[in-house]
Amino acid sequence: MTDEALQNLIGGWFDDLEFTTEESQFLNVKVSPEFLHPLMQKLREHPETEFDYLFCLTGVDWGEELGVIYHLESTTKRHILVVKVSTADRENPELDTVCDLWFTAEFHEREVFDFFGIRFRNHPNLKRLFLTEDWEGYPLRKDYEDDVNMILH
């Protein structure tokens, strides 16, 4: 399916989706947090999309907002889509888990929680993955400061 056909199909599912190519080789769609899980479930299960492979899940600090970027592929239909979601709540950032749709997300959501502090609702085992339980803060946030471990020039 072409990017244009994907956009036409997916664009009819929810009202507030924003599409772009953003200097990317893949079609990008931005979704609001409340529609993240319903969109992802439909992308996985719809017979014309069948996104059965989550090949990348990345946390991002965009300054004002924290978010996640998901790279999806259909191994049967041979198309790729990038889904972006963000929240302006830096004090209590929360998004829905997608590990019920793609098992690999369980590990990657723990990594995003560990380094960005984004909590994933309904995650079966959300706890730190790399950092110790007593670690304070989230080291991949732009506002993170650590006078002991950071090298300042």
Side-chain angles (χ1 to χ4, degrees):
M1 184 177 286
T2 66
D3 286 350
E4 183 179 350
L6 268 175
Q7 182 173 339
N8 289 336
L9 174 66
I10 297 166
W13 294 348
F14 300 96
D15 291 335
D16 70 337
L17 301 178
E18 296 175 31
F19 292 90
T20 181
T21 55
E22 290 185 15
E23 301 178 15
S24 169
Q25 62 181 342
F26 308 121
L27 178 64
N28 288 249
V29 59
K30 185 170 184 188
V31 62
S32 58
E34 63 269 20
F35 296 118
L36 174 65
H37 195 275
L39 173 65
M40 297 300 251
Q41 186 166 7
K42 194 150 187 168
L43 288 169
R44 178 163 175 86
E45 296 173 356
H46 194 280
E48 292 184 59
T49 54
E50 292 182 5
F51 284 103
D52 58 338
Y53 180 37
L54 171 66
F55 67 90
C56 187
L57 187 160
T58 308
V60 181
D61 183 344
W62 281 298
E64 294 294 317
E65 299 178 323
L66 296 171
V68 178
I69 300 174
Y70 305 84
H71 285 76
L72 305 175
E73 181 175 1
S74 171
T75 60
T76 57
K77 305 290 185 184
R78 306 307 304 167
H79 47 241
I80 294 175
L81 180 70
V82 177
V83 178
K84 297 180 179 182
V85 63
S86 63
T87 176
D89 186 352
R90 293 182 70 86
E91 295 302 312
N92 188 30
E94 279 192 324
L95 299 170
D96 290 325
T97 186
V98 296
C99 69
D100 59 318
L101 303 172
W102 299 280
F103 184 70
T104 188
E106 184 175 348
F107 175 85
H108 297 291
E109 288 174 350
R110 284 182 60 193
E111 180 181 28
V112 169
F113 167 68
D114 207 6
F115 291 125
F116 291 93
I118 299 172
R119 301 192 68 78
F120 293 90
R121 286 183 292 271
N122 300 315
H123 190 285
N125 189 25
L126 192 62
K127 62 182 181 180
R128 290 213 182 258
L129 184 63
F130 297 107
L131 302 173
T132 60
E133 288 298 323
D134 61 343
W135 191 279
E136 292 186 26
Y138 304 101
L140 293 185
R141 286 192 183 190
K142 291 182 178 182
D143 56 0
Y144 179 74
E145 293 182 16
D146 181 351
D147 296 334
V148 174
N149 297 302
M150 291 179 72
I151 300 172
L152 304 174
H153 296 275

